[in-house]
Amino acid sequence: KQWYQRRVAITAGGQLASDVSNMEEIGNLACSDAPKCFRQVKSAIQACSDANESFLDQTIAAAEAVYKRDFESQAKDFASGNQGSLLGDIATMAMNKFSSADDIRTFIEEQLTEGRKSDASAAAKQAGILAQGWCDSGCTSTTARFLEGIFGHMNGGGCNDASVFCGECQSRAASYFARNQLPCCVEKVVRKGIEAYDYVIANYSDALESYGAAVKGGLSVSGLAEAEAIRDRVVEEFSCVSEVYSANRPECV
């Protein structure tokens, strides 16, 4: 958290704008190599599964053994050392609920109804199509140029902390949008994201409320207060971002 605050509170030096080229390089590398890498890994896993029907169970058991040997004590120390905080409470709840790989597998199997499997499969397919379209259109570099422009424009005045958008940063962003249109390839992704969010809320609101109530019930008083403060801050900041976006949606074919 402290590293993040130091990182984002240096907008006056144009750090965000100067970092865009690094993100662009990573994004273009993902476009060129990620599909091939995925296919190679998938093929290797399939070959192992075909040769050994116990491959999956053995892999899970090996991963669990490594976790217990190398990381379990660290996780317990983190949870006990951060009691009363949001992350500490969540870590404690997770360790209490999932004490073995079988616990995790059972939980996942309980959640994966046929309807959810179908939705997940459809979502993965659409995400793949969207990612391919993004890469084919060169949207990574197009987006990079837009971000360099808007971050550079926002850098200055009273906008000196990138972790706070509402206020001066919002005003400077709005003035940039008044003269520069959001790339249509980005708009397409944004609209798909909104459609997906609306679908999840319409079809899974009861389940989400149930999960939320379960987490809330396991939080300490201080952990709950921290969670609610984060929620309120996110809602406020998102509202400011949404206001700028809604007022400046691009005209795309």
Side-chain angles (χ1 to χ4, degrees):
K1 181 179 179 181
Q2 291 177 344
W3 177 89
Y4 173 76
Q5 289 174 335
R6 290 196 302 270
R7 190 69 173 169
V8 298
I10 52 177
T11 313
Q15 187 66 51
L16 287 177
S18 65
D19 277 349
V20 168
S21 60
N22 296 325
M23 294 186 287
E24 178 185 8
E25 184 176 357
I26 293 173
N28 283 327
L29 183 63
C31 280
S32 63
D33 291 0
K36 292 180 289 186
C37 182
F38 173 77
R39 287 192 294 270
Q40 291 175 357
V41 172
K42 180 181 179 181
S43 177
I45 292 175
Q46 188 62 56
C48 291
S49 297
D50 292 342
N52 178 8
E53 62 181 15
S54 300
F55 171 73
L56 179 59
D57 290 334
Q58 292 172 356
T59 301
I60 292 174
E64 182 178 2
V66 170
Y67 166 75
K68 289 185 176 295
R69 184 190 68 213
D70 297 337
F71 302 109
E72 186 174 43
S73 62
Q74 297 178 33
K76 289 181 178 179
D77 289 344
F78 175 84
S80 62
N82 291 274
Q83 290 181 350
S85 71
L86 176 60
L87 290 180
D89 288 351
I90 290 176
T92 298
M93 285 189 286
M95 287 190 295
N96 289 340
K97 186 172 182 62
F98 305 116
S99 60
S100 69
D102 282 339
D103 290 340
I104 298 175
R105 187 187 337 220
T106 298
F107 175 79
I108 293 175
E109 289 174 347
E110 289 173 350
Q111 307 308 312
L112 287 181
T113 62
E114 288 303 317
R116 291 177 183 177
K117 289 180 182 178
S118 177
D119 282 347
S121 177
K125 182 178 180 180
Q126 287 299 314
I129 293 173
L130 199 61
Q132 190 62 55
W134 172 285
C135 293
D136 290 346
S137 67
C139 196
T140 299
S141 293
T142 299
T143 303
R145 302 291 79 76
F146 178 83
L147 291 178
E148 286 174 340
I150 192 170
F151 287 155
H153 181 77
M154 289 171 63
N155 176 38
C159 181
N160 52 22
D161 184 349
S163 68
V164 180
F165 183 78
C166 294
E168 183 62 22
C169 291
Q170 179 181 357
S171 298
R172 295 182 74 86
S175 67
Y176 184 82
F177 270 104
R179 301 187 301 274
N180 300 273
Q181 177 176 284
L182 181 73
C184 286
C185 59
V186 177
E187 167 70 1
K188 182 177 181 179
V189 173
V190 171
R191 298 315 303 174
K192 286 293 184 180
I194 293 173
E195 290 174 9
Y197 172 81
D198 290 341
Y199 180 86
V200 169
I201 294 301
N203 291 274
Y204 296 103
S205 58
D206 290 344
L208 293 173
E209 289 177 4
S210 177
Y211 299 149
V215 171
K216 183 178 180 179
L219 293 176
S220 61
V221 174
S222 54
L224 179 59
E226 184 182 349
E228 291 176 339
I230 292 173
R231 177 202 62 197
D232 293 343
R233 171 72 184 282
V234 169
V235 169
E236 179 184 10
E237 291 292 318
F238 181 79
S239 177
C240 294
V241 172
S242 179
E243 183 179 335
V244 172
Y245 166 72
S246 298
N248 298 279
R249 283 190 59 191
E251 296 181 4
C252 301
V253 177

